[in-house]
Amino acid sequence: MLLKVHQFFKQQLFKEVNQSILANQKNSIIPVAKLTNVSKNYGDGLLSVKALDNLNLEVNQGDYLAVMGASGSGKSTAMNILGCLDRPSSGSYQLNGQAIEDLDDDSLAEIRNKELGFVFQQFHLMPDATALENVILPMIYAGFPSNQRKILAENALEQVGLAERMNNRPNQLSGGQQQRVAIARAIINKPSLLLADEPTGALDSSTTEDVLNLFETLHKQGITIVLVTHEDEVANRAKRIAKFNDGKVISIVANK
């Protein structure tokens, strides 16, 4: 009986993902994320620092965009605005056609939980929770029915290759395995946009390859990805590369 229930929810998950991908493809004329003349200033007067300077950037459905630039180029600030963690000082940010810059904090928190997935260099896992419990957590905040959470989290961990590690805590997992848990947690709510900030920065070369292969798999499944990196070999795995300098996008090139 439990196996039948598990199979039912798994089939429903795949059906919902496919329906979501098809719906997004129909609406692909609307960018997933669009920054228009976005500026961001920190401080006032003579101490003011312009982190972004009339920046323009579009991320389309199914995109896999790598963002590169020197320290202070504005890439992290742009990532924070895309992730609704910060607001622009001026300009417009639209996520799936919805203006974001004037929303209140509660609305932004809801969008972060339901529309965005985050993967960071540091894994930010709850140390006393198992891999399964870490992946379940966003679904609690998003209001998923309690009888679905465990099955959906198990499916997500299977998807990232951790079927045998679901009950392990972070200190019982390697760095690469912890990052896989973080990725499973990031995609569990089927986000419109997956934001990855230096996701391989704390990993060795072998584990980096595994994680990049996983991002490629997710991208092929229809997930839209923006990834910040300073490593050419990481950026070259993306579909496009945007280079930042002095708070602006100076070039966007397609990878072969």
Side-chain angles (χ1 to χ4, degrees):
M1 181 65 180
L2 286 175
L3 179 59
K4 289 183 178 179
V5 171
H6 185 279
Q7 290 174 337
F8 171 77
F9 280 121
K10 194 169 185 177
Q11 290 170 353
Q12 288 296 108
L13 174 65
F14 289 142
K15 182 179 179 181
E16 289 174 9
V17 170
N18 288 333
Q19 288 174 340
S20 176
I21 291 170
L22 288 172
N24 284 328
Q25 287 173 342
K26 290 179 181 178
N27 295 319
S28 58
I29 193 170
I30 300 175
V32 173
K34 184 177 182 180
L35 300 175
T36 305
N37 296 325
V38 166
S39 292
K40 180 64 181 180
N41 302 316
Y42 294 102
D44 298 310
L46 295 175
L47 298 178
S48 177
V49 175
K50 186 181 287 291
L52 296 178
D53 186 8
N54 289 311
L55 181 140
N56 293 282
L57 181 67
E58 285 191 14
V59 181
N60 297 313
Q61 168 62 34
D63 209 348
Y64 184 177
L65 177 70
V67 175
M68 301 190 75
S71 178
S73 63
K75 59 185 186 298
S76 294
T77 303
M79 194 72 149
N80 287 339
I81 291 174
L82 287 171
C84 298
L85 298 169
D86 202 352
R87 290 183 172 88
S89 301
S90 61
S92 171
Y93 171 31
Q94 291 191 335
L95 182 65
N96 291 321
Q98 178 184 10
I100 299 298
E101 61 271 11
D102 294 325
L103 296 180
D104 61 28
D105 290 344
D106 288 342
S107 298
L108 290 177
E110 183 175 2
I111 286 173
R112 284 194 298 270
N113 186 252
K114 294 184 177 180
E115 298 291 337
L116 301 169
F118 298 91
V119 181
F120 301 99
Q121 179 175 341
Q122 303 302 323
F123 317 122
H124 299 300
L125 301 177
M126 295 177 60
D128 296 327
T130 65
L132 187 65
E133 290 165 344
N134 269 283
V135 176
I136 285 173
L137 188 61
M139 289 188 284
I140 296 174
Y141 294 136
F144 274 64
S146 57
N147 63 339
Q148 294 184 22
R149 296 172 195 158
K150 184 173 183 290
I151 293 171
L152 293 174
E154 287 174 344
N155 289 338
L157 286 167
E158 288 175 5
Q159 188 177 357
V160 301
L162 290 178
E164 306 301 320
R165 297 289 185 179
M166 294 185 187
N167 294 315
N168 289 80
R169 288 181 169 79
N171 64 1
Q172 298 170 316
L173 300 171
S174 69
Q177 289 169 338
Q178 290 184 63
Q179 191 62 292
R180 285 172 177 269
V181 175
I183 293 170
R185 180 184 59 190
I187 65 173
I188 193 65
N189 288 346
K190 300 186 287 294
S192 299
L193 181 62
L194 178 61
L195 301 169
D197 192 358
E198 299 283 1
T200 62
L203 305 177
D204 61 37
S205 58
S206 176
T207 309
T208 291
E209 182 69 17
D210 291 340
V211 169
L212 291 178
N213 288 339
L214 178 55
F215 276 122
E216 283 188 1
T217 298
L218 295 174
H219 173 240
K220 289 176 182 177
Q221 292 172 355
I223 293 179
T224 305
I225 302 171
V226 176
L227 180 151
V228 169
T229 183
H230 64 277
E231 300 175 84
D232 289 333
E233 58 269 29
V234 174
N236 288 335
R237 301 287 286 272
K239 186 177 176 181
R240 297 190 300 152
I241 301 175
K243 293 190 176 180
F244 279 46
N245 187 51
D246 292 335
K248 296 180 179 181
V249 177
I250 58 172
S251 70
I252 299 181
V253 296
N255 271 333
K256 294 181 180 179

